[in-house]
């Protein structure tokens, strides 16, 4: 089956000009085209917020579900089990995931529902016009000058601590880093958490925002240099063996993680990932890259030993017990 | 001498093995062919607090709660005085000797028997641990002798009860024997005014079962393919039953399960998972009680407005708030009918028996998918967790009704697919499931305002049109909903409307009313929105009493809302102390009403 480019695209964005989310949307489209994703087998999900509007702007040929605030994770869990053949792409924001959805998100991680989970993280509530979110950094300010007295939640650390099998952070304007990560996430058999700093041009791009375009430019530190190799394609000259950790995805594609300067990190080392994240936060750095990857990832349907066939397709004969089995169970009550 | 006509109340301590003994007794009476029911009155606690079990037998099948008991057994020191309160004058009171009641702590107008339970259970077993549990079985032995219970049947029940733990059969039988022998030696002056007698084939073709178990069976047999839940009394056993039958009946040849089951982190997640699963084509349900229903409010609105098949079984308990977790009430009617903000209304089902707990399993799922909406089944603790008789369940023979789901060949034939259009005039649009491989299939589901194609819109005319179509949809839904059960008394000017677990009290109520030479018609509600027949019933009587188990007459309000013209004919008869409904109690209230006098 081949698809027209228009089937990977969506309707026109209604977001503010310069919004980081639109860059992420474009990269999702590109990654899906590159991966030759079958849009009919994708379900797009979101919560509520500016970022949650974006699934309408990509993959018009896919079913989408803009759910309720903070509940994308739970809805996704139901969708996955109802039809385990679907590829789930979820877009949420920092309010949706780190405030009202924090509990739900945490349990999604524990259950390892296979899904590309993108948090478009701008440290502000954009759609309700400028309040702090739970990922706003300590001492950052709103447009009107209020200072945040609370420590921000680091969704990556949280996910890692809860056992997530794929955790990365990136920046909406860094397609060289983000697009390969999305490509890998699409192929991961488990939950892939992508914490994407995606600046809010209207409410959090001022002096005092730590997730503004300027702030990211100044403080972004890449953990690795990232490349993505399609199945059966040769490795390019940029990535020589010895300098690079190779992540082999189940369809034969490869995510390459090249060391930068003295930085060494094994993405299998969860504890080191946490240390790096904590250290970078203390230094005021925005560390980006792939932090954790667990190839032993067991997605939820598998863990529950769910039938291979999508639940939607079972007939009455397959679901009802034979008469004799049924009557046998009634005997205990006679 | 009253034969097969008595009420027994047994007071024990929870966590002491009394549940096992209680079920042996009630099961034996059931197998002897007696019309019988058993009710638990248990505390919100795991171990150590008072718990009661009441059994009522009656030749006419009048087995709702009796206001007075004929026999009270108490092994519990802390309640030994108050337990006598509900014993009728001349009744018999068995209490554990070790409680050491003084003469002035015992009512003068009852017959009391101090039973050396501790010593007797020592005779029943060598093991100290086992003795504690057997004290309860000793009481069964005493009553078995006193009431002339059929010993062969009793022994067979014990055999079956411990079929998987053979070593317990012997010690239980010994405990029974010890109780019986003691009774035989001591009962010379006991009042002999109640007894049992086998009714051959009396319960042939019948079950004795609790509503939650029946519902679990019904959901699995009825094609439920997804269940998510959060444990809450008294609905946990409904989901546990669902899981048990799924395990028995839904295993593939290779052992994988043809059902998704998730114990969610809270009720917000449980209902959201149901909505996700229903959207993606599973037949999805959750079970909860009042506090959980409150949490499900927002998602209920999403299911209603975005038209997603989903089912909630609400096994109602006493609210408001945390309320009495182990007591029964029908207090969620109003909140369920309109669960969520905005103009929301849901299909409600009111099972009135364990049989309907079973059959509403498939029905609730069928309705959810046909109507593309949330269906809330309102059961309650009395129905869900107590033992009721019913005819043996029959598997549903009707196909699973999936509603208007478009296949790829359907889509080929359609010029356009508009999710929220109204092609058939019934308010129900066609839907496609994610994963359908067709260029016309996709659409974007949303809880925001939407047009026929599910595109975001703030257009006022479209928004209003959509709301009107939803209203129409629920109106036409009635043709799929179970109709009320009506019994018209030709001479009657008064009617009674009731629903749910109140049903078990109605036959006795009718009998008591007839005894006063009065006539009433009755109507049992089974669903909402209400059928036209309900309005016709109200109009056919000068006064209609809505009998319900809540303080505010919630069903009466709902009826008044639906039928404003006849609202002034409605009056309430209420029971809301948390105890299961009693026909005698309702009748007492009824007699005080002007229209009845």
């Amino acid at each position: 089956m081949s698809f027209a480019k228009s089937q990977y695209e969506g309707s026109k964005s209604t977001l503010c000009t310069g919004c980081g989310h639109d860059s992420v949307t474009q990269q999702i489209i590109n990654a899906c085209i590159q991966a030759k994703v079958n849009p009919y087998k994708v379900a797009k999900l979101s919560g509520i917020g500016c970022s949650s509007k974006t699934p309408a702007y990509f993959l018009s040929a896919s079913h989408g579900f803009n759910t309720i605030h903070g509940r994308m994770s739970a809805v996704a869990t139901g969708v996955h089990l109802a039809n385990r053949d679907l590829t789930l792409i979820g877009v949420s924001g920092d309010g949706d995931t780190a405030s009202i959805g924090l509990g739900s998100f945490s349990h999604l991680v524990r259950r390892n529902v296979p899904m590309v989970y993108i948090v478009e993280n701008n440290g502000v509530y954009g759609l309700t016009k400028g309040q702090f979110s739970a990922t706003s950094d300590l001492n950052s300010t709103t447009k009107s000058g209020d200072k945040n007295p609370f420590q921000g939640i680091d969704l990556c650390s949280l996910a890692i601590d809860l056992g997530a099998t794929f955790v990365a952070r990136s920046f909406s304007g860094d397609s060289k880093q983000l697009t390969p990560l999305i490509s890998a996430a699409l192929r991961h058999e488990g939950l892939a958490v992508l914490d994407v700093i995606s600046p809010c041009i209207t409410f959090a791009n001022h002096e005092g925002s730590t997730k503004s375009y300027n702030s990211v430019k100044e403080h972004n530190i890449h953990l690795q240099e990232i490349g993505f190799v399609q199945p059966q394609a040769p490795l390019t000259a940029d990535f020589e063996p010895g300098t690079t950790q190779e992540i082999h995805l189940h369809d034969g594609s490869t995510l390459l993680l090249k060391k930068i300067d003295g930085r060494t990190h094994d993405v299998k080392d969860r504890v080191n990932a946490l240390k790096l994240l904590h250290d970078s936060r203390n230094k005021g750095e925005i560390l980006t890259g792939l932090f954790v990857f667990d190839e032993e990832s067991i997605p939820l349907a598998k863990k529950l030993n769910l039938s291979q066939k999508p639940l939607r397709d079972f007939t009455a004969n397959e679901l009802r017990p034979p008469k004799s089995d049924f009557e046998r169970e009634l005997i205990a009550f006679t | 001498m009253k034969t097969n006509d008595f009420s027994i109340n047994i007071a024990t301590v929870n966590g002491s093995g009394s549940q096992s003994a209680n079920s042996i007794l009630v099961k034996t009476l059931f197998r002897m062919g007696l019309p019988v029911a058993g009710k638990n009155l248990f505390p919100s606690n795991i171990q150590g607090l008072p718990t009661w079990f009441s059994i009522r037998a009656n030749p006419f099948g009048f087995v709702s709660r009796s206001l007075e008991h004929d026999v009270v057994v108490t092994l519990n020191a802390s309640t030994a005085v108050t337990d006598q309160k509900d014993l009728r004058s001349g009744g018999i009171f068995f209490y554990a000797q070790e409680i050491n009641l003084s003469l002035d702590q015992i009512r003068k107008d009852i017959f009391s028997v101090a039973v050396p339970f501790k010593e007797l259970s020592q005779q029943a077993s060598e093991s100290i641990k086992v003795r504690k549990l057997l004290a309860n079985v000793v009481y069964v032995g005493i009553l078995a002798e006193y009431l002339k219970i059929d010993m062969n049947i009793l022994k067979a029940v014990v055999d079956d009860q411990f079929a998987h733990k053979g070593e317990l059969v012997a010690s239980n039988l010994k405990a029974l024997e010890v109780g019986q022998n003691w009774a035989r030696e001591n009962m010379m002056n006991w009042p002999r005014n109640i007894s049992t007698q086998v009714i051959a084939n009396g319960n042939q073709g019948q079950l004795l079962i609790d509503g939650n178990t029946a519902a679990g069976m019904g959901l699995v047999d009825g094609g439920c393919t997804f269940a998510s839940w959060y444990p809450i009394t008294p609905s946990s056993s409904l989901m546990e039953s669902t899981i048990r039958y799924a395990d028995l009946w839904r295993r593939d040849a290779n052992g994988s399960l043809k059902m998704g089951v998730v114990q969610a982190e809270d009720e917000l997640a449980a209902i959201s998972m149901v909505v996700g699963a229903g959207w993606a084509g599973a037949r999805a349900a959750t079970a909860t009680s009042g506090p959980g229903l409150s949490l499900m409010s927002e998602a209920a609105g999403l299911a209603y407005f975005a038209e997603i098949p989903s089912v909630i079984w609400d096994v109602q308990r006493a609210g408001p708030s945390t309320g009495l977790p182990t007591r029964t009430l029908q207090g969620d009617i109003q909140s369920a009918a309109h669960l969520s903000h905005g103009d929301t209304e849901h299909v409600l089902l009111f099972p009135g028996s364990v049989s309907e707990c079973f059959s509403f399993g498939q029905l609730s799922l069928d309705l959810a998918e046909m109507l593309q909406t949330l269906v809330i089944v309102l059961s309650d603790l009395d129905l869900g967790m107590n033992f009721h008789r019913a005819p043996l369940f029959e598997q549903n023979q009707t196909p699973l009704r999936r509603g208007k789901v478009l296949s790829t060949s359907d889509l080929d034939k359609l010029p356009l697919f508009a999710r929220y259009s109204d092609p058939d005039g019934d308010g129900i649009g066609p839907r496609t499931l994610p994963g359908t491989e067709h260029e016309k299939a996709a659409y974007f589901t949303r809880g925001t305002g939407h047009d026929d194609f599910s595109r975001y819109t703030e257009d006022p005319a479209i928004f209003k049109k959509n709301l009107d179509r939803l209203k129409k949809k629920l109106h036409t839904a009635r043709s799929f909903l179970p109709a009320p059960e009506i019994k018209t008394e030709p001479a009657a000017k008064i009617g009674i409307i009731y629903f749910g677990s109140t049903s078990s009290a109605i036959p006795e109520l009718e009998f008591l009313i007839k005894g006063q030479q009065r006539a009433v018609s009755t109507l049992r509600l089974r669903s909402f929105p209400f059928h036209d027949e309900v309005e016709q019933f109200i109009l056919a009587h000068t006064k209609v009493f809505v009998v319900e188990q809540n303080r505010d007459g919630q069903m009466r309000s709902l009826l008044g809302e639906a039928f404003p013209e006849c609202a002034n004919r409605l009056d309430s008869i209420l029971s809301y102390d948390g105890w299961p409904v009693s026909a005698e109690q309702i009748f007492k209230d009824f007699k005080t009403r002007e229209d009845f006098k």
Side-chain angles (χ1 to χ4, degrees):
Chain A
M1 228 183 265
S2 70
F3 299 95
K5 187 152 180 280
S6 59
Q7 293 181 291
Y8 289 98
E9 292 165 340
S11 48
K12 190 164 178 293
S13 169
T14 59
L15 301 174
C16 307
T17 310
C19 176
H21 304 343
D22 288 333
S23 308
V24 183
T25 296
Q26 191 54 56
Q27 293 180 62
I28 294 172
I29 293 170
N30 294 343
C32 286
I33 291 174
Q34 212 182 66
K36 295 197 175 54
V37 157
N38 176 348
Y40 297 151
K41 290 298 187 199
V42 169
K44 314 177 282 186
L45 300 163
S46 61
I48 297 289
C50 286
S51 49
S52 291
K53 292 185 177 200
T54 65
Y57 313 147
F58 59 85
L59 296 179
S60 59
S62 306
H63 277 76
F65 194 168
N66 185 207
T67 66
I68 42 183
H69 205 22
R71 307 296 146 212
M72 178 180 84
S73 300
V75 174
T77 305
V79 175
H80 165 59
L81 292 179
N83 187 344
R84 60 189 295 181
D85 292 344
L86 292 172
T87 298
L88 304 184
I89 301 177
V91 179
S92 176
D94 39 297
D96 198 71
T97 294
S99 289
I100 186 168
L102 193 62
S104 210
F105 171 71
S106 305
H107 292 278
L108 183 78
V109 172
R110 291 175 66 226
R111 294 192 185 103
N112 200 24
V113 172
M115 173 176 187
V116 177
Y117 193 112
I118 298 174
V119 185
E120 290 176 357
N121 190 348
N122 48 26
V124 73
Y125 283 14
L127 197 52
T128 50
K129 304 168 86 177
Q131 297 82 16
F132 284 126
S133 83
T135 63
S136 307
D137 292 306
L138 182 66
N139 296 327
S140 65
T141 58
T142 58
K143 217 168 162 185
S144 51
D146 296 323
K147 214 183 212 192
N148 176 28
F150 305 116
Q151 176 168 296
I153 293 179
D154 176 356
L155 289 168
C156 291
S157 298
L158 178 65
I160 292 168
D161 198 50
L162 290 169
T165 56
F166 181 128
V167 183
R169 174 178 296 136
S170 190
F171 165 53
S172 59
D174 190 348
S175 60
K176 196 155 172 282
Q177 182 190 57
L178 179 55
T179 306
L181 286 172
I182 297 175
S183 299
L186 281 166
R187 291 154 165 92
H188 179 56
E189 281 194 324
L191 183 71
V193 179
L194 298 170
D195 178 21
V196 181
I197 314 290
S198 180
C200 176
I201 195 103
T202 307
F203 295 108
N205 202 36
H206 52 277
E207 181 74 39
S209 321
T210 55
K211 294 187 182 27
S212 61
Y213 282 103
N214 284 342
S215 197
V216 176
K217 208 166 26 180
E218 268 175 59
H219 298 109
N220 187 359
I221 307 282
H222 283 188
L223 182 56
Q224 320 101 335
E225 204 182 307
I226 298 184
F228 184 82
V229 182
Q230 299 283 4
Q232 263 114 53
L235 297 173
T236 69
D238 281 348
F239 294 94
E240 293 142 28
T243 64
T244 304
Q245 183 170 22
E246 289 177 18
I247 305 296
H248 297 284
L249 299 158
H250 74 95
D251 70 334
S253 55
T254 312
L255 189 68
L256 300 167
L257 309 171
K258 186 181 181 188
K259 285 192 243 197
I260 297 177
D261 301 334
R263 256 165 258 143
T264 314
H265 173 62
D266 179 357
V267 293
K268 289 203 279 281
D269 189 344
R270 209 170 275 271
V271 176
N272 194 51
L274 288 174
K275 183 174 192 309
L276 286 174
L277 285 166
H278 280 240
D279 286 347
S280 67
R281 199 222 311 252
N282 290 338
K283 287 186 230 161
E285 289 171 356
I286 299 174
L287 189 66
T288 58
L290 180 67
F291 305 127
V292 162
F293 180 84
D294 184 354
E295 62 194 6
E296 310 263 295
S297 168
I298 303 172
L300 184 62
K302 210 172 190 177
K303 203 165 239 194
L304 297 181
N305 196 10
L306 187 70
S307 273
Q308 283 299 133
K309 186 151 91 170
L311 299 175
R312 52 171 273 184
D313 294 334
F314 281 109
T315 61
N317 274 341
E318 293 167 297
L319 298 174
R320 278 202 189 119
K323 189 161 185 235
S324 53
D325 287 8
F326 180 79
E327 286 174 352
R328 189 181 321 132
E329 287 309 314
L330 293 183
I331 293 172
F333 303 100
T334 56
Chain B
M1 169 72 83
K2 294 198 294 170
T3 307
N4 296 341
D5 187 4
F6 49 80
S7 180
I8 304 172
N9 197 28
I10 305 119
T12 54
V13 174
N14 75 328
S16 66
S18 54
Q19 199 176 36
S20 174
N22 296 338
S23 59
I24 289 172
L25 180 56
V26 72
K27 197 67 183 287
T28 302
L29 294 171
F30 171 77
R31 284 199 189 166
M32 283 173 64
L34 275 61
V36 71
K39 296 195 193 293
N40 279 298
L41 210 69
F42 58 106
S44 185
N45 193 48
I46 299 302
Q47 213 184 57
L49 287 187
T51 188
W52 292 267
F53 189 71
S54 63
I55 298 174
R56 185 164 176 207
N58 180 282
F60 304 111
F62 299 157
V63 291
S64 70
R65 182 171 64 95
S66 184
L67 292 182
E68 279 189 327
H69 304 291
D70 301 282
V71 180
V72 168
V73 179
T74 184
L75 277 80
N76 190 23
S78 65
T79 61
V81 173
T82 49
D83 281 339
Q84 298 169 50
K85 201 165 52 73
D86 297 331
L87 184 58
R88 62 164 183 74
S89 195
I92 188 166
F93 175 53
F94 295 98
Y95 68 97
Q97 191 171 67
E98 34 279 7
I99 297 174
N100 275 322
L101 287 176
S102 62
L103 270 173
D104 52 288
Q105 284 181 303
I106 302 176
R107 268 170 63 185
K108 302 282 179 284
D109 62 328
I110 60 172
F111 191 89
S112 67
V113 180
V115 181
F117 281 109
K118 197 160 174 208
E119 186 198 306
L120 292 174
S121 52
Q122 278 166 3
Q123 293 172 30
S125 174
E126 296 291 304
S127 152
I128 296 177
K129 193 173 97 169
V130 176
R131 273 177 202 169
K132 283 210 172 98
L133 300 170
L134 291 179
N136 296 296
V137 184
V138 169
Y139 96 70
V140 176
I142 294 173
L143 289 186
E145 188 64 31
Y146 179 55
L147 296 172
K148 298 213 195 49
I149 282 173
D150 185 308
M151 286 317 295
N152 290 327
I153 293 177
L154 179 52
K155 284 182 183 151
V157 167
V158 173
D159 263 330
D160 288 344
Q161 178 124 332
F162 299 106
H164 304 294
K165 300 182 200 162
E167 69 280 8
L168 288 175
V169 172
S171 52
N172 273 270
L173 289 177
K174 181 88 174 104
L176 285 175
E177 197 189 313
V178 164
Q180 275 184 286
N181 289 341
W182 188 86
R184 202 174 301 123
E185 286 158 22
N186 289 276
M187 61 195 249
M188 288 78 66
N189 359 332
W190 296 1
R192 305 307 303 275
N193 44 22
I194 55 170
S195 181
T196 64
Q197 191 174 71
V198 168
I199 302 173
N201 301 321
N203 285 322
Q204 175 95 304
Q206 299 265 320
L207 296 168
L208 187 71
I209 194 171
D210 62 278
N212 282 356
T213 302
M217 226 187 249
L219 281 167
V220 181
D221 187 59
C224 177
T225 51
F226 181 86
S228 51
W229 63 299
Y230 190 80
I232 180 170
T233 308
S235 71
S236 312
S237 61
L238 193 157
M239 276 285 133
E240 283 164 344
S241 164
T242 306
I243 292 166
R244 189 167 63 245
Y245 291 111
D247 206 35
L248 279 169
W249 296 336
R250 293 285 189 83
R251 290 279 168 196
D252 253 331
N254 54 24
S256 58
L257 193 65
K258 287 184 271 183
M259 180 154 169
V261 180
V262 182
Q263 187 193 312
E265 57 272 24
D266 52 44
E267 289 89 343
L268 302 167
I271 185 61
S272 298
M273 290 181 195
V274 164
V275 167
W279 178 72
R283 285 163 63 92
T286 184
T288 190
S289 192
L293 190 73
S294 293
L295 289 173
M296 296 182 182
S297 182
E298 189 193 17
L302 177 65
Y304 174 72
F305 198 52
E307 303 182 60
I308 300 169
S310 35
V311 174
I312 299 174
W313 277 72
D314 177 13
V315 186
Q316 299 167 91
R317 73 193 213 179
S321 189
T322 313
L324 299 175
T326 57
R327 298 284 183 268
T328 195
L329 224 67
Q330 293 174 326
D332 301 344
I333 313 293
Q334 276 289 351
S335 47
H338 297 296
L339 194 66
S340 207
H341 52 280
D343 290 314
T344 312
E345 53 185 3
H346 305 290
V347 169
L348 306 179
L349 294 177
F350 310 109
S353 62
V354 290
S355 304
E356 284 183 343
C357 287
F358 173 77
S359 60
F360 285 9
Q362 177 167 341
L363 182 63
S364 56
L365 294 164
D366 283 352
L367 290 170
E369 291 207 298
M370 286 194 300
L371 300 167
Q372 299 166 7
T373 196
L374 173 63
V375 173
I376 304 178
V377 185
L378 287 161
S379 177
D380 64 39
L381 189 148
D382 186 16
L383 192 54
M385 292 196 74
N386 287 328
F387 301 107
H388 303 269
R389 285 189 319 153
L392 283 167
F393 300 151
E394 279 177 21
Q395 280 182 295
N396 210 302
Q397 299 305 319
T398 59
L400 305 179
R401 293 179 289 181
R402 309 304 310 270
K404 301 182 194 177
V405 178
L406 300 176
S407 63
T408 51
S409 49
D410 292 330
L411 287 166
D412 279 336
K413 300 190 198 106
L414 278 179
L416 282 173
F417 159 51
R419 170 70 185 91
Y420 297 113
S421 55
D422 188 8
D424 305 320
D426 55 8
I428 307 171
R431 68 179 180 130
T432 57
L433 301 178
T436 303
E437 301 201 75
H438 196 286
E439 60 183 5
K440 286 201 206 102
Y443 71 99
F444 203 99
T445 307
R446 50 179 84 251
T448 51
H450 44 269
D451 66 10
D452 283 10
F453 297 91
S454 199
R455 293 178 301 212
Y456 180 78
T457 180
E458 295 174 3
D459 183 296
I462 296 177
F463 180 70
K464 181 171 179 297
K465 184 184 87 153
N466 201 33
L467 278 181
D468 288 338
R469 180 182 57 77
L470 285 170
K471 189 85 186 172
K472 188 210 279 190
K473 181 167 83 161
L474 245 67
H475 193 78
T476 59
R478 298 175 309 152
S479 58
F480 299 118
L481 298 181
E485 273 185 2
I486 304 177
K487 252 181 21 180
T488 311
E489 276 296 314
K493 290 227 167 45
I494 297 175
I496 288 178
I497 290 180
Y498 66 98
F499 59 96
S501 62
T502 309
S503 311
S504 64
I506 298 302
E508 185 174 2
L509 178 66
E510 286 174 313
F511 176 79
L512 290 167
I513 290 171
K514 264 211 180 77
Q516 302 274 299
Q517 279 81 52
R518 304 306 299 266
V520 289
S521 307
T522 63
L523 181 147
R524 180 168 75 89
L525 284 169
R526 300 205 288 158
S527 59
F528 169 82
F530 304 120
H531 290 75
D532 291 335
E533 292 98 300
V534 179
E535 186 177 27
Q536 287 154 19
F537 179 87
I538 299 171
L539 288 171
H541 299 85
T542 54
K543 197 65 165 217
V544 173
F545 291 96
V546 183
V547 182
E548 54 186 312
Q549 300 171 50
N550 57 67
R551 181 194 70 184
D552 293 344
Q554 295 185 19
M555 187 63 85
R556 176 196 169 174
S557 306
L558 210 59
L559 287 162
E561 206 183 289
F563 309 122
E565 264 99 80
C566 44
N568 57 358
R569 297 180 195 224
L570 298 173
D571 203 345
S572 292
I573 292 186
L574 307 170
S575 164
Y576 55 94
D577 58 9
W579 278 29
V581 72
S582 149
E584 296 165 80
Q585 188 66 58
I586 298 172
F587 183 61
K588 272 193 190 162
D589 188 342
F590 208 57
K591 279 197 291 185
T592 66
R593 304 304 179 95
E594 272 312 309
D595 303 85
F596 181 78
K597 287 186 195 158

